[in-house]
mmCIF file of all heavy atoms in Angstrom:
data_model
loop_
_atom_site.group_PDB
_atom_site.id
_atom_site.type_symbol
_atom_site.label_atom_id
_atom_site.label_comp_id
_atom_site.label_asym_id
_atom_site.label_seq_id
_atom_site.Cartn_x
_atom_site.Cartn_y
_atom_site.Cartn_z
ATOM 1 N N LEU A 1 102.552 135.857 16.419
ATOM 2 C CA LEU A 1 101.964 136.169 17.702
ATOM 3 C C LEU A 1 100.481 135.826 17.587
ATOM 4 O O LEU A 1 99.820 136.244 16.626
ATOM 5 C CB LEU A 1 102.147 137.652 18.026
ATOM 6 C CG LEU A 1 101.612 138.116 19.376
ATOM 7 C CD1 LEU A 1 102.441 137.511 20.506
ATOM 8 C CD2 LEU A 1 101.650 139.637 19.445
ATOM 9 N N HIS A 2 99.968 135.041 18.529
ATOM 10 C CA HIS A 2 98.586 134.592 18.460
ATOM 11 C C HIS A 2 98.087 134.239 19.857
ATOM 12 O O HIS A 2 98.858 134.241 20.819
ATOM 13 C CB HIS A 2 98.446 133.386 17.516
ATOM 14 C CG HIS A 2 99.116 132.155 18.018
ATOM 15 N ND1 HIS A 2 100.485 131.966 17.963
ATOM 16 C CD2 HIS A 2 98.616 131.040 18.595
ATOM 17 C CE1 HIS A 2 100.795 130.794 18.481
ATOM 18 N NE2 HIS A 2 99.672 130.206 18.881
ATOM 19 N N SER A 3 96.800 133.940 19.947
ATOM 20 C CA SER A 3 96.229 133.486 21.213
ATOM 21 C C SER A 3 95.155 132.446 20.921
ATOM 22 O O SER A 3 94.715 132.282 19.781
ATOM 23 C CB SER A 3 95.635 134.663 21.999
ATOM 24 O OG SER A 3 94.538 135.224 21.305
ATOM 25 N N HIS A 4 94.748 131.756 21.975
ATOM 26 C CA HIS A 4 93.669 130.766 21.913
ATOM 27 C C HIS A 4 92.680 131.074 23.033
ATOM 28 O O HIS A 4 93.061 131.648 24.054
ATOM 29 C CB HIS A 4 94.207 129.343 22.104
ATOM 30 C CG HIS A 4 95.259 128.960 21.134
ATOM 31 N ND1 HIS A 4 94.994 128.654 19.826
ATOM 32 C CD2 HIS A 4 96.603 128.837 21.277
ATOM 33 C CE1 HIS A 4 96.116 128.343 19.202
ATOM 34 N NE2 HIS A 4 97.114 128.448 20.061
ATOM 35 N N ASN A 5 91.449 130.650 22.896
ATOM 36 C CA ASN A 5 90.449 130.857 23.942
ATOM 37 C C ASN A 5 90.448 129.700 24.944
ATOM 38 O O ASN A 5 89.442 129.415 25.571
ATOM 39 C CB ASN A 5 89.056 131.036 23.333
ATOM 40 C CG ASN A 5 88.586 129.816 22.568
ATOM 41 O OD1 ASN A 5 89.366 128.929 22.239
ATOM 42 N ND2 ASN A 5 87.308 129.772 22.261
ATOM 43 N N ALA A 6 91.583 129.068 25.094
ATOM 44 C CA ALA A 6 91.735 127.949 26.037
ATOM 45 C C ALA A 6 93.099 128.048 26.703
ATOM 46 O O ALA A 6 94.053 128.553 26.108
ATOM 47 C CB ALA A 6 91.621 126.623 25.293
ATOM 48 N N ASP A 7 93.183 127.562 27.946
ATOM 49 C CA ASP A 7 94.493 127.415 28.585
ATOM 50 C C ASP A 7 95.260 126.355 27.823
ATOM 51 O O ASP A 7 94.684 125.346 27.393
ATOM 52 C CB ASP A 7 94.330 126.967 30.039
ATOM 53 C CG ASP A 7 93.682 128.012 30.927
ATOM 54 O OD1 ASP A 7 93.748 129.211 30.598
ATOM 55 O OD2 ASP A 7 93.112 127.612 31.966
ATOM 56 N N CYS A 8 96.569 126.556 27.656
ATOM 57 C CA CYS A 8 97.396 125.617 26.891
ATOM 58 C C CYS A 8 98.622 125.201 27.708
ATOM 59 O O CYS A 8 99.360 126.049 28.204
ATOM 60 C CB CYS A 8 97.884 126.251 25.598
ATOM 61 S SG CYS A 8 96.581 126.876 24.531
ATOM 62 N N LEU A 9 98.823 123.902 27.809
ATOM 63 C CA LEU A 9 100.016 123.344 28.436
ATOM 64 C C LEU A 9 100.810 122.664 27.335
ATOM 65 O O LEU A 9 100.265 121.841 26.588
ATOM 66 C CB LEU A 9 99.642 122.327 29.515
ATOM 67 C CG LEU A 9 100.809 121.600 30.174
ATOM 68 C CD1 LEU A 9 101.678 122.580 30.955
ATOM 69 C CD2 LEU A 9 100.283 120.500 31.090
ATOM 70 N N TYR A 10 102.084 123.015 27.210
ATOM 71 C CA TYR A 10 102.943 122.485 26.152
ATOM 72 C C TYR A 10 104.045 121.628 26.771
ATOM 73 O O TYR A 10 104.669 122.035 27.756
ATOM 74 C CB TYR A 10 103.587 123.631 25.370
ATOM 75 C CG TYR A 10 102.580 124.473 24.636
ATOM 76 C CD1 TYR A 10 101.916 125.506 25.278
ATOM 77 C CD2 TYR A 10 102.283 124.222 23.304
ATOM 78 C CE1 TYR A 10 100.976 126.276 24.609
ATOM 79 C CE2 TYR A 10 101.353 124.987 22.625
ATOM 80 C CZ TYR A 10 100.706 126.006 23.292
ATOM 81 O OH TYR A 10 99.782 126.763 22.628
ATOM 82 N N TYR A 11 104.292 120.475 26.164
ATOM 83 C CA TYR A 11 105.374 119.586 26.597
ATOM 84 C C TYR A 11 106.246 119.295 25.380
ATOM 85 O O TYR A 11 105.756 118.777 24.364
ATOM 86 C CB TYR A 11 104.817 118.285 27.179
ATOM 87 C CG TYR A 11 105.901 117.339 27.619
ATOM 88 C CD1 TYR A 11 106.646 117.603 28.769
ATOM 89 C CD2 TYR A 11 106.197 116.206 26.879
ATOM 90 C CE1 TYR A 11 107.662 116.736 29.171
ATOM 91 C CE2 TYR A 11 107.210 115.337 27.279
ATOM 92 C CZ TYR A 11 107.945 115.606 28.424
ATOM 93 O OH TYR A 11 108.937 114.763 28.810
ATOM 94 N N ILE A 12 107.519 119.638 25.468
ATOM 95 C CA ILE A 12 108.444 119.481 24.342
ATOM 96 C C ILE A 12 108.962 118.049 24.315
ATOM 97 O O ILE A 12 109.550 117.565 25.288
ATOM 98 C CB ILE A 12 109.603 120.479 24.448
ATOM 99 C CG1 ILE A 12 109.056 121.914 24.455
ATOM 100 C CG2 ILE A 12 110.606 120.274 23.307
ATOM 101 C CD1 ILE A 12 110.084 122.974 24.778
ATOM 102 N N ILE A 13 108.748 117.360 23.184
ATOM 103 C CA ILE A 13 109.193 115.969 23.057
ATOM 104 C C ILE A 13 110.430 115.820 22.176
ATOM 105 O O ILE A 13 111.039 114.764 22.151
ATOM 106 C CB ILE A 13 108.058 115.055 22.545
ATOM 107 C CG1 ILE A 13 107.508 115.534 21.203
ATOM 108 C CG2 ILE A 13 106.955 114.961 23.574
ATOM 109 C CD1 ILE A 13 106.442 114.625 20.605
ATOM 110 N N GLY A 14 110.818 116.889 21.479
ATOM 111 C CA GLY A 14 112.026 116.836 20.661
ATOM 112 C C GLY A 14 112.447 118.230 20.244
ATOM 113 O O GLY A 14 111.623 119.126 20.082
ATOM 114 N N GLY A 15 113.758 118.431 20.118
ATOM 115 C CA GLY A 15 114.266 119.730 19.698
ATOM 116 C C GLY A 15 114.159 120.751 20.809
ATOM 117 O O GLY A 15 114.272 120.429 21.985
ATOM 118 N N GLY A 16 113.927 121.986 20.410
ATOM 119 C CA GLY A 16 113.838 123.048 21.401
ATOM 120 C C GLY A 16 113.253 124.309 20.800
ATOM 121 O O GLY A 16 112.991 124.390 19.594
ATOM 122 N N LEU A 17 113.070 125.303 21.672
ATOM 123 C CA LEU A 17 112.498 126.570 21.236
ATOM 124 C C LEU A 17 112.932 127.678 22.165
ATOM 125 O O LEU A 17 113.432 127.435 23.265
ATOM 126 C CB LEU A 17 110.961 126.477 21.184
ATOM 127 C CG LEU A 17 110.210 126.128 22.472
ATOM 128 C CD1 LEU A 17 109.980 127.349 23.370
ATOM 129 C CD2 LEU A 17 108.867 125.517 22.123
ATOM 130 N N ARG A 18 112.743 128.902 21.695
ATOM 131 C CA ARG A 18 112.979 130.084 22.524
ATOM 132 C C ARG A 18 111.629 130.717 22.795
ATOM 133 O O ARG A 18 110.878 131.040 21.877
ATOM 134 C CB ARG A 18 113.893 131.070 21.836
ATOM 135 C CG ARG A 18 114.059 132.363 22.656
ATOM 136 C CD ARG A 18 115.249 133.151 22.197
ATOM 137 N NE ARG A 18 116.434 132.644 22.854
ATOM 138 C CZ ARG A 18 117.057 133.267 23.862
ATOM 139 N NH1 ARG A 18 116.602 134.392 24.314
ATOM 140 N NH2 ARG A 18 118.136 132.750 24.400
ATOM 141 N N LEU A 19 111.315 130.890 24.069
ATOM 142 C CA LEU A 19 110.081 131.519 24.529
ATOM 143 C C LEU A 19 110.493 132.718 25.369
ATOM 144 O O LEU A 19 111.039 132.545 26.465
ATOM 145 C CB LEU A 19 109.256 130.531 25.358
ATOM 146 C CG LEU A 19 107.970 131.054 25.980
ATOM 147 C CD1 LEU A 19 106.943 131.395 24.893
ATOM 148 C CD2 LEU A 19 107.387 130.011 26.927
ATOM 149 N N GLY A 20 110.306 133.915 24.837
ATOM 150 C CA GLY A 20 110.799 135.107 25.529
ATOM 151 C C GLY A 20 112.312 135.055 25.602
ATOM 152 O O GLY A 20 112.984 134.934 24.587
ATOM 153 N N ARG A 21 112.844 135.053 26.811
ATOM 154 C CA ARG A 21 114.303 134.976 27.003
ATOM 155 C C ARG A 21 114.768 133.582 27.399
ATOM 156 O O ARG A 21 115.935 133.370 27.706
ATOM 157 C CB ARG A 21 114.728 135.963 28.084
ATOM 158 C CG ARG A 21 114.536 137.390 27.676
ATOM 159 C CD ARG A 21 115.071 138.315 28.746
ATOM 160 N NE ARG A 21 114.229 139.496 28.772
ATOM 161 C CZ ARG A 21 113.968 140.220 29.819
ATOM 162 N NH1 ARG A 21 114.479 139.906 30.973
ATOM 163 N NH2 ARG A 21 113.193 141.268 29.730
ATOM 164 N N GLU A 22 113.840 132.636 27.414
ATOM 165 C CA GLU A 22 114.147 131.273 27.854
ATOM 166 C C GLU A 22 114.352 130.325 26.676
ATOM 167 O O GLU A 22 113.574 130.336 25.723
ATOM 168 C CB GLU A 22 112.996 130.731 28.708
ATOM 169 C CG GLU A 22 112.722 131.521 29.959
ATOM 170 C CD GLU A 22 113.816 131.388 30.996
ATOM 171 O OE1 GLU A 22 114.393 130.286 31.118
ATOM 172 O OE2 GLU A 22 114.097 132.379 31.682
ATOM 173 N N ASP A 23 115.389 129.513 26.768
ATOM 174 C CA ASP A 23 115.605 128.428 25.818
ATOM 175 C C ASP A 23 115.101 127.153 26.472
ATOM 176 O O ASP A 23 115.572 126.776 27.551
ATOM 177 C CB ASP A 23 117.086 128.292 25.461
ATOM 178 C CG ASP A 23 117.575 129.458 24.616
ATOM 179 O OD1 ASP A 23 116.847 129.842 23.677
ATOM 180 O OD2 ASP A 23 118.672 129.981 24.886
ATOM 181 N N LEU A 24 114.134 126.501 25.825
ATOM 182 C CA LEU A 24 113.546 125.273 26.353
ATOM 183 C C LEU A 24 113.902 124.114 25.441
ATOM 184 O O LEU A 24 114.075 124.297 24.231
ATOM 185 C CB LEU A 24 112.029 125.425 26.461
ATOM 186 C CG LEU A 24 111.538 126.616 27.289
ATOM 187 C CD1 LEU A 24 110.021 126.718 27.231
ATOM 188 C CD2 LEU A 24 112.013 126.505 28.721
ATOM 189 N N LYS A 25 113.995 122.906 26.009
ATOM 190 C CA LYS A 25 114.408 121.724 25.251
ATOM 191 C C LYS A 25 113.493 120.550 25.580
ATOM 192 O O LYS A 25 112.596 120.666 26.418
ATOM 193 C CB LYS A 25 115.857 121.391 25.569
ATOM 194 C CG LYS A 25 116.076 121.029 27.024
ATOM 195 C CD LYS A 25 117.539 120.849 27.333
ATOM 196 C CE LYS A 25 117.805 120.473 28.763
ATOM 197 N NZ LYS A 25 116.979 120.993 29.807
ATOM 198 N N ALA A 26 113.746 119.421 24.930
ATOM 199 C CA ALA A 26 112.958 118.210 25.182
ATOM 200 C C ALA A 26 112.902 117.925 26.680
ATOM 201 O O ALA A 26 113.914 117.994 27.374
ATOM 202 C CB ALA A 26 113.559 117.025 24.438
ATOM 203 N N GLY A 27 111.686 117.647 27.154
ATOM 204 C CA GLY A 27 111.460 117.391 28.567
ATOM 205 C C GLY A 27 110.959 118.607 29.326
ATOM 206 O O GLY A 27 110.473 118.487 30.448
#
């Protein structure tokens, strides 16, 4: 668990991840 002092936009180019209750994939 961490934070940054900047707004961050993430774009998944391969594989996937779980963010909270959401499963996200490439695209």
Side-chain angles (χ1 to χ4, degrees):
L1 182 68
H2 67 283
S3 65
H4 303 285
N5 62 345
D7 293 336
C8 304
L9 176 65
Y10 296 84
Y11 179 73
I12 301 171
I13 57 177
L17 59 83
R18 176 163 275 255
L19 177 67
R21 293 184 214 149
E22 299 290 324
D23 290 316
L24 304 176
K25 63 186 181 326

